[in-house]
Amino acid sequence: MNKFTTVADIGPLDKAVAEALEIKRNRYAHSSLGRNYTLLMIFFNSSLRTRLSTQKAAMNLGMNVMVLDVNQGAWKLETERGVIMDGDKAEHLLEAIPVMGSYCDIIGVRSFAGLKDKAEDYEERVINQFIKYSGRPVFSMEAATGHPLQSFADLITIEEHKTKARPKVVMTWAPHPKALPQAVPNSFVQWMVAAGYEVVVTHPEGYELDSAFTEGATIDYDQRHALAGADFVYAKNWSAYADPHYGEVLCKSRDWTVDAEKMALTNNAYFMHCLPVRRGMIVTDDVIEGPRSLVIPEAANREISAQTVIKRMLESIQDNRND
Ligand code: CP
């Protein structure tokens, strides 16, 4: 595996989940695989789970790990080509990327959508430049349009808890005070459809996601109707995707907050969220703290999804060297 930015990069999902669960049973079984290999994790945006779980995953494989917070202690990076660099950005990504690649064997990148220019965000300019110019396998630690390590962890969590072959998985929009990217919902829907689940997306009108990610899912503007019979409820906020409101907050109504009354409409569903979560906005305290909340197990599975991806990248590097 030379890149991991989307569900297509992981191959058959049943095989990927089986490998992940094997890793979970003995996460130190491959502790020599990464000896003398270095992972560089590059953050353009903040993180708690991704930072810690990915570092832990690499350490489980015996790797060295370096972490660079681009906006804290590194030169500010220019990402546009052809600009006159007379502002506050001291270095261009096109020099910085191959330099960073020269110090490591695998690169993880976190770079959120700017939510100002849809075309620029959906081109995935930053992570695609790393893929093109670093000379290293690159994986997404959440890019502008997707968060595949999160979705892989969510899939592992659902596979561990489901009681039927094809559960009903409902992703519901919920309110948030700030404009958030569409990366998590895009990936979640795409991965859950690929897994063969019954997938329903519910949100207020105006919050339609890019249809390239929601193909195969049912869209229902009636949240209560959508939640009926759900086996898993995944709450998430996102900003508008559709023009002319790309990146805007169109609704802050707490009528969309997931609470016990709404969870009572479901088939005793599990509650999921990628975290961090705004209590009282996205979900009420009783639901997130309740016995059907999976927010901690799914966060714990981030270590397992990351370890599966990094292991496959190490195996590819070693296979190529042995050819
Ligand atoms: N879910 C997730 O990616 O969390 P962080 O932003 O804290 O890494």
Side-chain angles (χ1 to χ4, degrees):
M1 183 190 283
N2 288 320
K3 82 171 180 76
F4 179 70
T5 62
T6 183
V7 65
D9 294 325
I10 196 99
L13 289 182
D14 53 349
K15 199 164 166 243
V17 170
E19 187 174 340
L21 293 176
E22 186 60 41
I23 286 169
K24 189 166 181 175
R25 278 189 285 276
N26 182 3
R27 63 195 75 196
Y28 303 109
H30 304 279
S31 58
S32 300
L33 186 69
R35 197 166 69 87
N36 295 335
Y37 289 88
T38 299
L39 170 67
L40 173 58
M41 298 164 59
I42 300 164
F43 288 93
F44 288 83
N45 306 94
S46 304
S47 166
L48 186 153
R49 278 144 292 275
T50 304
R51 178 184 296 263
L52 296 178
S53 62
T54 309
Q55 185 161 354
K56 177 67 165 56
M59 292 191 302
N60 293 348
L61 293 163
M63 296 186 81
N64 303 309
V65 182
M66 299 189 296
V67 182
L68 181 69
D69 288 293
V70 171
N71 297 320
Q72 290 169 19
W75 302 113
K76 277 198 174 175
L77 294 176
E78 178 58 64
T79 57
E80 299 274 340
R81 205 165 164 277
V83 296
I84 309 292
M85 288 175 58
D86 59 355
D88 64 341
K89 292 175 178 165
E91 178 154 26
H92 202 287
L93 209 56
L94 291 178
E95 284 81 55
I97 289 173
V99 168
M100 291 189 270
S102 74
Y103 303 140
C104 65
D105 301 284
I106 297 175
I107 299 178
V109 180
R110 166 162 283 202
S111 176
F112 289 171
L115 296 179
K116 298 270 184 289
D117 180 332
K118 180 156 81 174
E120 184 180 316
D121 289 343
Y122 276 69
E123 267 173 33
E124 289 286 11
R125 188 175 296 168
V126 173
I127 195 160
N128 281 335
Q129 289 190 339
F130 275 93
I131 291 167
K132 192 166 177 187
Y133 297 114
S134 70
R136 302 294 176 209
V138 172
F139 65 90
S140 168
M141 298 194 300
E142 187 171 343
T145 65
H147 195 357
L149 282 179
Q150 179 65 52
S151 301
F152 189 12
D154 296 334
L155 175 64
I156 295 164
T157 309
I158 292 176
E159 285 295 304
E160 288 178 313
H161 289 85
K162 73 179 189 183
T163 54
K164 57 175 84 149
R166 190 166 185 261
K168 178 176 177 181
V169 177
V170 178
M171 187 181 72
T172 178
W173 182 93
H176 194 283
K178 292 169 67 178
L180 299 186
Q182 298 99 32
V184 169
N186 283 344
S187 277
F188 182 77
V189 177
Q190 196 174 45
W191 279 69
M192 298 308 122
V193 169
Y197 302 155
E198 179 188 354
V199 182
V200 178
V201 183
T202 183
H203 54 72
E205 289 192 39
Y207 278 97
E208 293 78 10
L209 293 164
D210 182 350
S211 58
F213 292 95
T214 57
E215 194 180 338
T218 301
I219 314 299
D220 189 341
Y221 296 112
D222 181 338
Q223 188 191 38
R224 284 183 168 76
H225 182 260
L227 291 171
D231 299 299
F232 294 86
V233 174
Y234 199 99
K236 186 71 184 85
N237 174 269
W238 62 90
S239 59
Y241 168 77
D243 295 325
H245 297 296
Y246 178 70
E248 293 179 16
V249 176
L250 305 178
C251 171
K252 288 186 184 174
S253 172
R254 285 170 53 206
D255 287 348
W256 282 81
T257 300
V258 177
D259 59 18
E261 178 257 321
K262 289 179 189 165
M263 291 300 286
L265 301 170
T266 70
N267 181 29
N268 195 22
Y270 287 106
F271 174 81
M272 300 178 73
H273 187 280
C274 61
L275 304 182
V277 70
R278 299 261 184 160
R279 288 182 179 217
M281 294 291 291
I282 301 280
V283 61
T284 53
D285 290 341
D286 53 347
V287 171
I288 197 168
E289 292 172 8
R292 304 296 280 178
S293 173
L294 291 179
V295 297
I296 306 304
E298 63 180 303
N301 276 335
R302 290 291 307 277
E303 178 183 342
I304 306 305
S305 64
Q307 191 168 335
T308 309
V309 169
I310 297 168
K311 172 177 169 281
R312 286 190 177 190
M313 288 186 162
L314 285 168
E315 287 167 346
S316 294
I317 293 169
Q318 294 174 12
D319 284 350
N320 290 340
R321 288 189 184 162
N322 293 333
D323 280 348

